[in-house]
Amino acid sequence: MKKLSVFVLLAALELGLAGCGVSDGEPLKLCRVEITDLSGQREPVTLEGLSREELNGFLCAEDWGDGEAAAPAGQAPAYRVEVYQDPTKTATQLEDTQPLKILEYVTYEGTDVVKCIVGGEILPQEIVDEFLEHYTVAPRGFFDAREQALAAE
């Protein structure tokens, strides 16, 4: 079951990010990253207008492993990193709609284990809870990118 959920996570990640920064004559669908210090000691930081390549670089997408980890016991949540994508424009949309949350990561104090949630606002909560929410070890580059973004503000 763990291998299946990892496969589903990776497939959803690829599908979710497929539209960021891709253009075939249409305007680019860009992504936004919001970083929130859950202790409230730092102001939230937003990275706007990221292409798919820029987002993958920020997330260190190629460096993530394919295994699950145990939920961090006793560690307080430290940061929430949310990824939003512009919605797909349709012929029936008359006005701009809000970006959709496609990914969420929660980091914890003193560990490199993160909680990953795929789907956010684009899938039913029951599916997210059952198949697309899990704990894994994040690559060091993910934490470095987060800290660089926070330091730039």
Side-chain angles (χ1 to χ4, degrees), residues 75-142:
Q75 273 96 351
Y79 291 91
R80 181 175 47 246
V81 178
E82 298 167 293
V83 178
Y84 294 83
Q85 177 181 300
D86 290 342
T88 301
K89 301 291 184 199
T90 64
T92 59
Q93 278 182 325
L94 298 177
E95 72 274 345
D96 288 335
T97 59
Q98 296 295 320
L100 300 171
K101 182 167 46 170
I102 58 172
L103 298 168
E104 181 178 331
Y105 301 93
V106 177
T107 65
Y108 294 85
E109 293 292 335
T111 182
D112 56 356
V113 173
V114 298
K115 181 179 182 179
C116 301
I117 305 164
V118 176
E121 300 170 350
I122 60 175
L123 295 171
Q125 191 61 44
E126 302 81 43
I127 293 174
V128 172
D129 291 344
E130 180 69 25
F131 299 107
L132 302 176
E133 179 178 301
H134 76 285
Y135 293 88
T136 191
V137 175
R140 181 77 243 152
F142 171 76

Side-chain angles (χ1 to χ4, degrees), residues 18-105:
C20 289
V22 176
S23 177
D24 54 353
E26 297 294 319
L28 295 178
K29 286 174 50 175
L30 298 175
C31 296
R32 178 180 83 221
V33 174
E34 294 181 2
I35 305 168
T36 305
D37 178 352
L38 298 176
S39 73
Q41 295 179 16
R42 294 172 132 169
E43 290 294 316
V45 171
T46 301
L47 306 175
E48 297 273 357
L50 299 177
S51 69
R52 179 180 182 179
E53 291 79 20
E54 292 168 327
L55 179 63
N56 284 341
F58 174 83
L59 296 175
C60 298
E62 294 182 10
D63 298 332
W64 288 76
D66 61 357
E68 290 193 35
Q75 273 96 351
Y79 291 91
R80 181 175 47 246
V81 178
E82 298 167 293
V83 178
Y84 294 83
Q85 177 181 300
D86 290 342
T88 301
K89 301 291 184 199
T90 64
T92 59
Q93 278 182 325
L94 298 177
E95 72 274 345
D96 288 335
T97 59
Q98 296 295 320
L100 300 171
K101 182 167 46 170
I102 58 172
L103 298 168
E104 181 178 331
Y105 301 93

